[in-house]
Amino acid sequence: MSVGTGEHEHRVRPGKGTAVDVKLLTRAELALRGLGSDTEVRRPDGAGPSDDGHVLVDGANAALPSNPASPYTVRDGRVWLGDEDTGLTLTPVRRPAFYDLTTADGVPYEKIARLHGADVLATTVVQTCVRYAESDRCRFCTIEESLRSGATVAAKTPAQLAEVAEAAVRLDGVRQMVMTTGTTTGPDRGARNLARCVRAVRETVPGLPVQVQCEPPGDLAWIRELRDAGAVSIGIHVESLDEDVRRRWMPGKSTVPLAEYEAAWDEAVEVFGHNRVSTYLLVGLGEDPDELVAGACALIERGVYPFVVPFRPMRGTLAARDGVGAPDAQVLRHVTESVAAELRAAGMSGADQQAGCAACGACSVLSAAGG
Ligand code: SF4
């Protein structure tokens, strides 16, 4: 089975299938094609593969692209496909009150951390990446574009993060925090700074669960250091387990061998616990979908949650510049449904991670599929 990466102008519907299948397929199509109407809370660029409007679909966090060409619209709190009611409800996420504040040293809170979904505070503590030269950069990433556009600042201090987190919890009911980082030049690859930031936030807001995301640190002792600093979960994101895909899509990051990822995941499971470790797996980079599912199963056996996310050609990425399209909705549904079934069988749910992308779920369709 091969993955389509072209334009998908027609809607794919199964000839027959259960209501759940159809709903999941609709949710997959929504994730890929987005909404024709604008949403109020967006993150226009940034680290990772998401560039979306934040809403609740059937009450769950969902990050949906804004796409004037999408056939999906919202009316009366429901998602419509033309004049057909899809049966999905949609609630916009309102602009949070903390966005209107400014730190003691004069930086708008909005440039320090952003609201993802309805209740997740997300920040990129270092907004530059040692791998951002065009020859090295991950082709789905725009980490430095948001810096260039002035939407954020290059480095957030621990004090700034603590200040913003306190306000976001108090004013907007934020329930978890995600801290990611661009890869730094040191052998810890950014983990040392992440640990400092986690510690500051946890000292100020002890009840706020924090997830950290980084490359496998050269010295695995940093994983325990992150846990000791107060992080409850960790994402070590490989994006693809296929070596060809890794080399093509992540020329810089793929120089870190998969064996290093495996060692870091195993150490992280040891330190953080079963189902407190996750990794992104992107659907639509050209990998074989069944091999992707098999790889996800192996991760589940390790105690690592495979956060299956559709690749979307975000503005400003090398992939979008080169005209690479999103994957086929049927492929996304197939992979998502298969991985969700394996997660259920293993008793692993994203929500159990307490903090992080798997707990938020907005960028994936996994939670809609019961994962
Ligand atoms: S899944 Fe992760 S990147 Fe996506 S909205 Fe949630 S916290 Fe943000």
Side-chain angles (χ1 to χ4, degrees):
M1 199 170 176
S2 69
V3 179
T5 51
E7 297 304 310
H8 302 285
E9 294 309 323
H10 57 278
R11 187 161 63 94
V12 191
R13 290 273 172 179
K16 58 179 189 221
T18 66
V20 173
D21 284 339
V22 173
K23 216 167 178 181
L24 190 61
L25 182 60
T26 306
R27 181 65 188 80
E29 285 187 331
L30 253 186
L32 295 167
R33 307 190 70 176
L35 281 176
S37 41
D38 236 354
T39 49
E40 219 175 332
V41 174
R42 305 189 60 231
R43 55 178 294 250
D45 319 285
S50 156
D51 160 30
D52 304 282
H54 289 281
V55 296
L56 299 176
V57 173
D58 278 354
N61 284 331
L64 305 181
S66 298
N67 170 19
S70 170
Y72 290 97
T73 54
V74 183
R75 220 165 53 236
D76 305 325
R78 299 179 79 81
V79 179
W80 294 76
L81 178 62
D83 54 10
E84 182 191 329
D85 183 347
T86 62
L88 295 172
T89 65
L90 188 141
T91 316
V93 173
R94 301 279 164 214
R95 181 182 161 85
F98 79 84
Y99 277 13
D100 294 329
L101 303 178
T102 301
T103 61
D105 50 1
V107 183
Y109 279 17
E110 199 178 347
K111 294 191 178 190
I112 303 291
R114 316 268 311 175
L115 186 67
H116 283 198
D119 53 11
V120 183
L121 186 66
T123 184
T124 302
V125 297
V126 172
Q127 198 80 37
T128 52
C129 182
V130 69
R131 309 196 189 286
Y132 209 65
E134 196 171 313
S135 55
D136 275 357
R137 185 189 315 173
C138 299
R139 299 170 61 74
F140 46 75
C141 185
T142 58
I143 188 168
E144 294 194 14
E145 303 314 306
S146 44
L147 186 57
R148 243 167 251 150
S149 73
T152 187
V153 292
K156 288 80 173 175
T157 67
Q160 287 172 333
L161 290 165
E163 185 182 337
V164 174
E166 188 281 324
V169 169
R170 178 168 42 85
L171 300 175
D172 297 294
V174 154
R175 289 148 65 102
Q176 60 130 311
M177 185 167 187
V178 176
M179 279 188 197
T180 190
T181 183
T183 304
T184 57
T185 43
D188 61 283
R189 298 194 175 121
R192 176 196 302 265
N193 183 50
L194 272 176
R196 273 198 300 258
C197 295
V198 175
R199 197 162 262 125
V201 167
R202 297 278 297 177
E203 273 168 18
T204 307
V205 204
L208 182 66
V210 179
Q211 186 222 28
V212 286
Q213 304 179 347
C214 58
E215 284 193 29
D219 178 353
L220 293 182
W222 283 109
I223 291 175
R224 189 167 294 278
E225 187 63 29
L226 287 163
R227 177 78 191 95
D228 290 348
V232 298
S233 54
I234 185 168
I236 302 171
H237 297 168
V238 72
E239 269 82 40
S240 174
L241 296 166
D242 179 314
E243 288 290 10
D244 285 343
V245 168
R246 294 186 75 218
R247 274 192 295 274
R248 259 187 294 122
W249 281 81
M250 300 161 261
K253 214 165 102 147
S254 63
T255 59
V256 178
L258 277 180
E260 266 196 54
Y261 278 85
E262 288 164 359
W265 289 325
D266 289 348
E267 174 66 10
V269 170
E270 181 75 29
V271 169
F272 281 84
H274 183 261
N275 196 29
R276 289 300 179 93
V277 182
S278 57
T279 190
Y280 267 67
L281 290 182
L282 291 177
V283 180
L285 303 189
E287 72 295 306
D288 180 285
D290 292 320
E291 280 176 21
L292 194 160
V293 172
C297 292
L299 286 162
I300 290 169
E301 266 168 41
R302 281 195 130 89
V304 176
Y305 185 103
F307 192 55
V308 170
V309 171
F311 161 72
R312 285 169 284 198
M314 200 157 78
R315 185 169 45 92
T317 58
L318 295 178
R321 185 199 67 188
D322 296 347
V324 181
D328 186 274
Q330 285 283 21
V331 172
L332 177 60
R333 182 199 56 79
H334 164 70
V335 170
T336 303
E337 218 166 39
S338 309
V339 174
E342 295 294 335
L343 283 166
R344 279 196 306 275
M348 288 167 82
S349 102
D352 288 345
Q353 302 225 341
Q354 293 190 18
C357 289
C360 165
C363 289
S364 171
V365 189
L366 270 178
S367 66

